[in-house]
Amino acid sequence: MNQIERIEHFEKIFDETSESVNELSNALKKYSMVQEKYFELMKYYGEEWRQDYEDDEAGKIPKDLKRGVLSQDGIYNLIEKNRELQMQILEIFADILHKG
């Protein structure tokens, strides 16, 4: 690879990495900011949720109310996906730290 090709090659890597780092930084900020709300949702997913779910099943909740949170699997799937994401983040960062 000649000098021009080398510079172009590494410039492309620099651009891709810079964009990715900025996107990840923004995503991590957003993710971090929502964690308190996430823990609040986890606390709801118990007795209160069950009562709301049962009332919805009994027709006591207005049908025009957005209530995806009352789906049987919705919160559980979110919790599992969040755990998987946390493990993925740990694995990626452990690998990066090991290489760097």
Side-chain angles (χ1 to χ4, degrees):
M1 166 181 329
N2 68 38
Q3 186 179 36
I4 300 300
E5 291 172 336
R6 184 175 56 246
I7 292 170
E8 289 175 339
H9 172 77
F10 285 108
E11 184 66 23
K12 183 178 179 184
I13 292 173
F14 175 77
D15 289 345
E16 290 175 1
T17 303
S18 294
E19 181 181 348
S20 181
V21 166
N22 289 332
E23 289 174 359
L24 180 58
S25 177
N26 291 333
L28 286 174
K29 285 176 191 172
K30 185 176 181 180
Y31 181 78
S32 178
M33 288 171 46
V34 78
Q35 287 307 294
E36 286 302 316
K37 292 179 182 179
Y38 170 76
F39 291 124
E40 184 179 349
L41 180 62
M42 286 180 56
K43 288 180 184 177
Y44 168 67
Y45 190 57
E47 289 302 315
E48 283 183 309
W49 177 88
R50 181 159 308 285
Q51 182 62 56
D52 292 344
Y53 174 80
E54 290 172 0
D55 287 349
D56 185 44
E57 290 291 303
K60 296 178 182 178
I61 306 292
K63 294 295 178 193
D64 62 341
L65 178 68
K66 186 175 188 277
R67 57 192 187 285
V69 72
L70 298 180
S71 69
Q72 288 185 326
D73 297 327
I75 296 176
Y76 176 81
N77 289 342
L78 176 63
I79 290 168
E80 287 303 306
K81 185 167 184 125
N82 195 49
R83 285 185 184 143
E84 290 171 10
L85 179 61
Q86 291 168 345
M87 291 305 297
Q88 183 181 10
I89 289 169
L90 288 173
E91 289 170 6
I92 289 169
F93 287 141
D95 186 50
I96 290 170
L97 290 173
H98 177 72
K99 289 179 181 176

